[in-house]
Amino acid sequence: MRAPAITDPARRAPAAVLAVVVLALAGLAGLWSVRPPAARPASIPASQFSAERAFQQVEAIATRPHPVGSPAQDQVREQLLTTLRGLGLTPEVQDTVSIEGAGLSASAGGTSLARVRNVVATIPGTSSTGRLFLVAHYDSVQVGPGGNDDAAGTSAVLETARALLAGPRPRNDVVLVLTDGEEACLCGAKAFVDQHPLARDGGVVLNLEARGSSGPAIMFETSEGNGRLVEAYSHAVKPVGTSFAVEIYRILSNDTDFTAFRKAGFAGLNAAYIDGAAVYHGPTDVPAAMDRDSLQHHGDNTLAVVRELGGRDLAALRVTGGQDATYFPAPGLLVRYPGSLNWPIAVLAVIAVGALAWLARRRGLITVRRTLVAGALAVVPIVLAPVLAQALWFLLTMMRPEYAAMPIDPYRPGLYRLAVVLLALAVVFGWFALLRRRLGPAALTVAGLGWLAVLGVVLAAFVPGGSYLTALPALAGALAGLVAVATRGWVPVLAVALGGAVATLVLAPTIVMLFPALGLGLGAAGAFLAVLLGLALLPVIDLIHPVAGGHRGAGAPPGRRLGALPTLAAVLAVLVCAGAGLMTDRFDAGRPALTQLMYAMDADTGTARWISEEPEAQQWTSRYVSGDLHRVDDTLPAFGPEPVLTGPAQAADLPAPQLTVESDTRSGDLRTLELRLRPQRPVRLATLHLPGDTAVVSATVEGRPVPVHTPDFGFAFHAPPADGIEVTLTVRTAGPIRFRAMDASDGLGDLPGFQPRPTGVGIVGSHTSEMLAVAKTYTY
């Protein structure tokens, strides 16, 4: 929005400088609000959280991969028990079999089970009103030591417990739950909520996770009706979270241990740091990869929230349902308000933009026709910037194909993220420069704020926790515009600068958090928010936009060429950032290109094949698999119907799992079999599947009832007992029954035909990477 003082050539330059300075300060403040605090040394008081002390536990836990059921996991568990006893607590081990619909076989319509050993200890409260559960998982994936995921959460729980015991005891009981089997199937958490006596009365849970190696600890998931919990979380040392993330996470199919607690009716919060995700689930997830500032942030917030909740009456807090809060980070605080205000704020933003359009028209700054045309053309940057962001990532993966196999992001994604933001700004600059003369800056500003206001209403209807992202900038921008149009002097400059500052404080932190959450493969989301920020900043963009004035001398470039300078500068910056990213983000021994490979042998035919889940075979992987996709569920039903890359392999001398019938009875057309599935080699997983033409009526595995899925029945058992898995099936059939049994271990190094990866080539973080599977058919 333009005012007479701003159009004065003598004041335009200092006005632009002032506005840019205000926005820069707002941007820095917004970035600071999501920056983790510095790691603190072990010399600080015992009642405070020290990342250095916690990191000692990380180094003890993450010495090597320790998946559920492994000898390494046994050693980690003993380390945890020793540590908890050293704190004066009396830990117990919950040793049980648990069932959960997640994991390898679950992806194929089956069920996952595991024998888990949770570590549980209680810090008794002085006058408890309920239980506060502090949860993290202490197992890792099979190929990585879990230095961040989740040695970070486990060490934060231990250090929080130590700090609590060093200070005044909380009012409420604090139960430490270090779960097993999270990576395999979330079975440890499910076992605790289903079977442990401490979980019977419910309570409030804080779950600690990590999906990367750096960044702020973000509170990204809550139970429903989170208003009181968010208020308690606002007392964290540096609260970082957004209700928009909670809304998005509820839509996605991702799960953590928090899922089991939430589904069981617990109230609670889920937090994790998520940047630096190139190490996620991989061999490079070692303690040295951890940013200890992130660990400090995890611990600071956890300790503060535990102390806050530890002193409250938990009876009201542990009730789920009711109203959610809308919240987002700001410098020094968590801005929050009841979700019931989303609609009023969104509607108020629409009214404010309408009032601005009315006043601007009265002052002769806009016409109805020009504003409508501007509104229609505002779709161009909103759509074009995300499309170009995806095109940029496509080009980067064409130049560096290894990026396609990265779990979330490259090792050094910062310059690429900056390139996406600059690309979005280049689109906004170019759009503004092309239309400024034809439609006028005031019409473009009203159109941009109008889109923000409309999106605020749409989000209020469908994603309520995200409505603030556009409604608040639209409201602030419209109010600033009203002041700018109605006043003179420097007031309009300050008004548009402050309006832009509000948009920057709201949107910039979310953009920063969104990039690592979704990855550059979905960089369009970051570009979309960056365009919305650009639309909110159009009055400031107009101030810095070059305008040909009366002082232009002979031979000077015309105004139209001057107007293209910001766009050209932004495009040049995009190219510089992308090129610098390619130069600095190179693969080496410490940051290898990631590859995925498995081996599967069919004991029925004595044949074997290599399998890879890579989207396209990389140079190293192409030694083993071809570029054609094939389904493998004909012989490996646990893998599901998704096509994968395959290639022939030499058959290894490996024993197949043994399936024996211990009892076989009939009653009419029903047949009940008691079976034992016994691996003949050390494995971490065993599966059993029946084809769809067999009607399974009921099933139990290790005494646990298993859901019967149609048309196919199957299960995967992680950490199977040494003496085999007891299975009881009742089926309706008149003929023989065909079973497909499979077991799986880890490590391909001893297989015939396998050549070790060269320097600079590593293993992708995947639950199936390096899997060695053997399958056999049994007919009874």
Side-chain angles (χ1 to χ4, degrees):
M1 190 59 57
R2 298 176 64 189
I6 304 178
T7 60
D8 183 354
R11 293 184 177 180
R12 189 176 182 85
V17 171
L18 174 62
V20 169
V21 169
V22 171
L23 290 186
L25 292 175
L28 290 174
L31 296 179
W32 178 86
S33 69
V34 292
R35 181 179 177 85
R40 306 185 71 187
S43 58
I44 64 172
S47 60
Q48 299 178 20
F49 188 98
S50 162
E52 184 176 337
R53 284 192 293 252
F55 189 72
Q56 295 172 6
Q57 292 293 335
V58 173
E59 292 181 309
I61 293 168
T63 58
R64 56 176 172 159
H66 48 282
V68 57
S70 66
Q73 179 73 330
D74 295 339
Q75 294 179 3
V76 171
R77 183 169 56 257
E78 288 303 317
Q79 164 72 19
L80 300 178
L81 293 170
T82 299
T83 300
L84 291 169
R85 290 175 185 134
L87 295 176
L89 300 176
T90 307
E92 62 169 299
V93 176
Q94 182 193 16
D95 189 342
T96 186
V97 172
S98 179
I99 178 172
E100 177 59 294
L104 177 65
S105 193
S107 65
T111 301
S112 287
L113 305 94
R115 182 188 176 188
V116 295
R117 299 169 178 88
N118 296 327
V119 176
V120 182
T122 300
I123 301 175
T126 57
S127 181
S128 187
T129 65
R131 295 189 180 97
L132 177 60
F133 298 89
L134 195 51
V135 181
H137 70 88
Y138 73 97
D139 63 309
S140 76
V141 293
Q142 78 283 0
V143 296
N148 289 279
D149 182 17
D150 193 25
T154 300
S155 65
V157 169
L158 296 174
E159 174 66 4
T160 297
R162 189 207 53 72
L164 287 173
L165 293 168
R169 289 290 180 96
R171 175 187 179 186
N172 297 311
D173 294 346
V174 178
V175 183
L176 314 178
V177 185
L178 303 177
T179 65
D180 194 8
E182 191 270 355
E183 298 292 2
C185 54
L186 310 177
C187 288
K190 192 67 164 60
F192 183 81
V193 299
D194 285 349
Q195 303 176 36
H196 202 285
L198 291 176
R200 289 174 184 166
D201 297 327
V204 178
V205 59
L206 303 179
N207 186 60
L208 306 184
E209 265 286 1
R211 198 214 60 181
S213 60
S214 61
I218 302 171
M219 193 269 286
F220 65 95
E221 185 183 13
T222 72
S223 53
E224 294 184 1
N226 60 29
R228 292 188 181 93
L229 286 171
V230 170
E231 190 278 326
Y233 176 74
S234 69
H235 293 273
V237 173
K238 194 171 187 178
V240 176
T242 162
S243 50
F244 178 60
V246 172
E247 296 277 10
I248 297 302
Y249 200 82
R250 287 175 180 172
I251 298 172
L252 300 176
S253 59
N254 298 339
D255 291 312
T256 67
D257 275 344
F258 185 78
T259 304
F261 286 88
R262 176 177 54 78
K263 289 182 176 180
F266 287 70
L269 308 172
N270 200 2
Y273 57 84
I274 60 175
D275 211 347
V279 306
Y280 182 52
H281 281 173
T284 51
D285 187 15
V286 296
M290 177 186 290
D291 184 343
R292 300 188 200 182
D293 292 354
S294 300
L295 180 59
Q296 184 69 49
H297 195 201
H298 228 353
D300 275 349
N301 284 355
T302 300
L303 180 58
V305 174
V306 168
R307 282 181 169 148
E308 180 66 26
L309 294 175
R312 293 195 178 194
D313 187 340
L314 294 183
L317 281 170
R318 65 187 183 185
V319 176
T320 59
Q323 185 176 193
D324 282 336
T326 295
Y327 58 94
F328 56 92
L333 75 157
L334 189 75
V335 179
R336 55 184 175 83
Y337 52 85
S340 58
L341 293 180
N342 287 327
W343 270 109
I345 290 174
V347 172
L348 186 60
V350 172
I351 295 172
V353 173
L356 175 61
W358 175 83
L359 182 59
R361 183 173 179 270
R362 293 249 323 172
R363 295 295 176 90
L365 296 174
I366 65 173
T367 67
V368 173
R369 178 181 174 277
R370 287 185 175 185
T371 304
L372 291 177
V373 172
L377 293 177
V379 176
V380 174
I382 292 174
V383 173
L384 182 59
V387 170
L388 291 179
Q390 293 303 115
L392 175 62
W393 179 243
F394 175 77
L395 290 175
L396 290 173
T397 55
M398 290 289 289
M399 290 184 281
R400 192 150 297 168
E402 297 87 350
Y403 281 166
M406 302 296 288
I408 306 292
D409 267 336
Y411 289 101
R412 297 181 177 94
L415 287 170
Y416 297 142
R417 294 172 184 170
L418 182 58
V420 171
V421 173
L422 291 169
L423 182 60
L425 292 180
V427 171
V428 174
F429 286 155
W431 173 80
F432 184 78
L434 287 172
L435 299 178
R436 184 179 183 276
R437 285 185 172 222
R438 294 180 176 88
L439 302 178
L444 296 175
T445 296
V446 171
L449 293 176
W451 269 101
L452 290 172
V454 169
L455 287 174
V457 171
V458 173
L459 290 171
F462 298 102
V463 190
S467 178
Y468 77 91
L469 286 169
T470 58
L472 290 181
L475 179 59
L479 294 177
L482 288 169
V483 172
V485 173
T487 59
R488 301 181 65 83
W490 286 95
V491 175
V493 180
L494 291 173
V496 298
L498 292 176
V502 171
T504 302
L505 286 170
V506 170
L507 284 166
T510 305
I511 294 171
V512 170
M513 291 187 287
L514 194 64
F515 271 119
L518 300 181
L520 285 165
L522 291 174
F528 176 73
L529 289 185
V531 165
L532 298 184
L533 178 57
L535 293 177
L537 299 181
L538 285 180
V540 178
I541 292 175
D542 181 53
L543 277 176
I544 65 176
H545 186 80
V547 178
H551 302 287
R552 180 163 52 93
R560 185 170 297 179
R561 293 182 182 178
L562 283 172
L565 288 179
T567 306
L568 295 175
V571 170
L572 178 61
V574 170
L575 298 176
V576 169
C577 288
L582 287 169
M583 291 179 62
T584 57
D585 189 48
R586 296 182 179 274
F587 297 112
D588 53 36
R591 296 179 175 88
L594 302 180
T595 58
Q596 203 273 351
L597 189 66
M598 299 174 280
Y599 175 92
M601 192 178 79
D602 186 349
D604 296 343
T605 61
T607 59
R609 53 184 160 179
W610 301 107
I611 300 173
S612 178
E613 295 176 344
E614 292 178 2
E616 292 186 12
Q618 298 188 59
Q619 183 177 358
W620 180 83
T621 319
S622 62
R623 302 176 183 180
Y624 304 97
V625 298
S626 67
D628 298 325
L629 294 172
H630 302 277
R631 291 178 57 167
V632 297
D633 53 336
D634 54 339
T635 57
L636 301 168
F639 282 75
E642 293 298 322
V644 292
L645 302 174
T646 63
Q650 298 180 47
D653 185 15
L654 295 169
Q658 184 182 80
L659 182 68
T660 57
V661 177
E662 299 187 342
S663 173
D664 187 350
T665 60
R666 296 177 183 268
S667 177
D669 62 345
L670 296 180
R671 184 179 177 188
T672 300
L673 297 96
E674 294 183 1
L675 310 166
R676 183 171 294 273
L677 177 61
R678 183 184 290 109
Q680 302 299 296
R681 59 194 180 98
V683 299
R684 67 173 174 90
L685 172 73
T687 74
L688 187 66
H689 284 78
L690 279 73
D693 56 359
T694 303
V696 178
V697 177
S698 64
T700 62
V701 179
E702 284 293 304
R704 302 286 177 189
V706 174
V708 176
H709 298 280
T710 56
D712 299 305
F713 169 83
F715 69 84
F717 198 111
H718 301 266
D723 60 346
I725 305 164
E726 295 181 357
V727 182
T728 301
L729 294 176
T730 298
V731 298
R732 180 173 283 107
T733 181
I737 306 172
R738 183 167 60 89
F739 299 89
R740 187 67 173 173
M742 186 194 85
D743 60 21
S745 58
D746 300 305
L748 307 178
D750 295 331
L751 290 172
F754 180 80
Q755 299 179 11
R757 291 172 172 85
T759 301
V761 178
I763 302 170
V764 73
S766 163
H767 293 290
T768 54
S769 286
E770 305 301 282
M771 177 182 285
L772 192 165
V774 180
K776 182 177 176 60
T777 300
Y778 291 88
T779 302
Y780 294 110

